[in-house]
Amino acid sequence: MANEHSHTDRRSTRRSILAATGIGAATALAGCSGSGSGSDETTIRMRTSTSSTTAYSANQGLASAVNDQTDELFVEAQTSQGTEANLGALQSEDAEMVYLQNWSAYDVQQGNDPYGQLNFDMVQIFHYYDLPWFFITNDSELETLSDIGANTKVSPTPEGSGTAPALEKALSYATDGYERASVGYGSQGSAMNENQLDVGMGTLMNFAVTPSWLQQIASEVDMKVLDVEDATAQAWEDDERLLSQTVDTGSIENATTPGEIAAPTFAYNFVSRNDLDYDAVYNFLTAMHEQQSELADYHGLLATFESNDFWIKNMYDGVPFHPAAADFYKDELGVWSEDFERADEK
């Protein structure tokens, strides 16, 4: 192995290349030797979403934190087109860890299309963040979701997004019909001003952080968060495919809100193949935990990891933990629950 100084310099150089390109050129699978003369470090490629998203920038911060902590691993934050592409990367072994949300995790567990032909057993590693979604409007005549009618133009996130099927199903409990629109997140304000959109979507990352695009909408229109009637909230709670949790929308500046409301929530967790090297996963979680109090310095979204309980929050029912993750949470963090399942070692 190279000496510590040269190893650190090489790792810093590789991080600079990553930052310049937005995606790493990985040359090794987990458990194999990384690139570079005399290196025994393990490469872990992590995929989230597109380069403009908070998910990707926060993962860049996480990768830097782990890389700064250990010489045993090199973590690459890579871009992705979304959930289906992420699972495809696990299938082809082009990534070691990818993030997923609960709606797609259910499809994987049930063997539903397009995930019925996966050639690996999926396991969970750690919880990443939560996105509770709520419906927004600038229409003074709309107060609750049940006020939406056949002529109301609604964009429950853009068509083709990973969140759309769940939000469309959630909306079906409140109204018999609407006109389906498809508007990008940051374009919703202008679309409302141009009468091309009546109802759009907003979120608070980890129930607290207002994304910049939602702040922009609130500055462009008289934004209002639609209330959710009790019957609709109960229907969401009873649907096994939906994760419904309460979010306080009162923290959104320059918006009229009903305060706390039920919200269809997406839990984003990192998953992997069950055959991902045990030591690689354990070393990753160890390095991440040793930087626990500094993670927020790498990206503000990572501040939630200061709580040990957050690491295993909103894990997917029926999806086992990677054995190294299970042992880490039991032996190191003391947060393991008997309700969880530990996958068999491969």
Side-chain angles (χ1 to χ4, degrees):
M1 180 175 288
N3 62 52
E4 181 178 352
H5 178 73
S6 63
H7 188 99
T8 301
D9 288 347
R10 176 169 56 80
R11 199 171 67 228
S12 297
T13 299
R14 291 169 69 184
R15 283 202 301 272
S16 297
I17 294 172
L18 270 176
T21 61
I23 183 169
T27 59
L29 296 176
C32 303
S33 295
S35 60
S37 175
S39 172
D40 291 327
E41 72 182 7
T42 296
T43 299
I44 294 181
R45 297 160 294 179
M46 301 178 71
R47 294 194 180 186
T48 50
S49 189
T50 57
S51 61
S52 62
T53 61
T54 301
Y56 173 67
S57 61
N59 193 35
Q60 285 184 304
L62 178 58
S64 294
V66 174
N67 290 337
D68 287 345
Q69 181 63 37
T70 179
D71 289 337
E72 296 176 332
L73 302 174
F74 179 70
V75 181
E76 297 183 354
Q78 297 187 347
T79 56
S80 171
Q81 293 304 308
T83 294
E84 189 170 343
N86 283 346
L87 290 171
L90 289 184
Q91 175 102 327
S92 61
E93 299 188 73
D94 288 325
E96 281 67 57
M97 295 185 194
V98 302
Y99 92 163
L100 195 65
Q101 31 85 347
N102 48 286
W103 183 268
S104 296
Y106 181 92
D107 282 332
V108 173
Q109 181 188 5
Q110 298 297 318
N112 297 336
D113 289 336
Y115 310 119
Q117 303 300 318
L118 296 180
N119 63 5
F120 64 91
D121 293 326
M122 187 178 76
V123 291
Q124 305 185 83
I125 306 292
F126 66 96
H127 180 55
Y128 192 40
Y129 64 81
D130 297 294
L131 290 184
W133 289 94
F134 42 84
F135 294 78
I136 60 175
T137 186
N138 70 332
D139 189 333
S140 60
E141 296 183 2
L142 299 178
E143 296 294 336
T144 73
L145 292 187
S146 299
D147 293 331
I148 293 173
N151 296 322
T152 309
K153 296 181 285 292
V154 183
S155 177
T157 71
E159 290 180 320
S161 74
T163 55
L167 295 176
E168 289 169 353
K169 184 174 187 183
L171 189 54
S172 72
Y173 286 113
T175 179
D176 293 331
Y178 55 92
E179 183 180 335
R180 179 58 158 102
S182 182
V183 181
Y185 302 108
S187 301
Q188 293 179 109
S190 58
M192 289 178 182
N193 276 329
E194 296 168 3
N195 295 321
Q196 296 175 353
L197 181 68
D198 298 312
V199 176
M201 301 302 305
T203 187
L204 290 174
M205 303 189 73
N206 281 334
F207 298 88
V209 179
T210 305
S212 58
W213 55 264
L214 186 61
Q215 294 173 344
Q216 176 185 339
I217 295 170
S219 68
E220 293 175 335
V221 301
D222 293 328
M223 193 181 86
K224 175 170 56 180
V225 176
L226 292 178
D227 204 351
V228 179
E229 293 183 341
D230 290 343
T232 300
Q234 187 61 53
W236 291 350
E237 186 71 25
D238 294 340
D239 191 323
E240 66 174 5
R241 290 225 55 185
L242 295 176
L243 173 62
S244 179
Q245 298 192 331
T246 301
V247 61
D248 185 1
T249 60
S251 63
I252 305 171
E253 296 182 357
N254 300 319
T256 302
T257 82
E260 289 192 355
I261 57 171
T265 301
F266 287 82
Y268 286 82
N269 300 340
F270 272 97
V271 301
S272 74
R273 300 169 62 100
N274 191 20
D275 57 7
L276 178 58
D277 182 72
Y278 181 100
D279 289 340
V281 174
Y282 206 97
N283 291 339
F284 173 91
L285 292 172
T286 298
M288 183 175 164
H289 188 250
E290 287 175 348
Q291 289 275 47
Q292 185 176 28
S293 60
E294 286 77 37
L295 286 175
D297 295 335
Y298 289 88
H299 194 284
L301 187 66
L302 305 178
T304 46
F305 286 101
E306 288 197 43
S307 168
N308 288 347
D309 289 334
F310 184 82
W311 296 55
I312 45 84
K313 178 186 176 186
N314 285 339
M315 304 308 286
Y316 305 142
D317 292 338
V319 180
F321 283 73
H322 188 283
D327 293 347
F328 181 82
Y329 295 133
K330 181 178 181 180
D331 300 334
E332 304 292 342
L333 265 61
V335 294
W336 182 254
S337 169
E338 293 303 320
D339 293 333
F340 295 153
E341 177 184 353
R342 181 186 189 274
D344 295 331
E345 293 186 41
K346 295 292 186 179

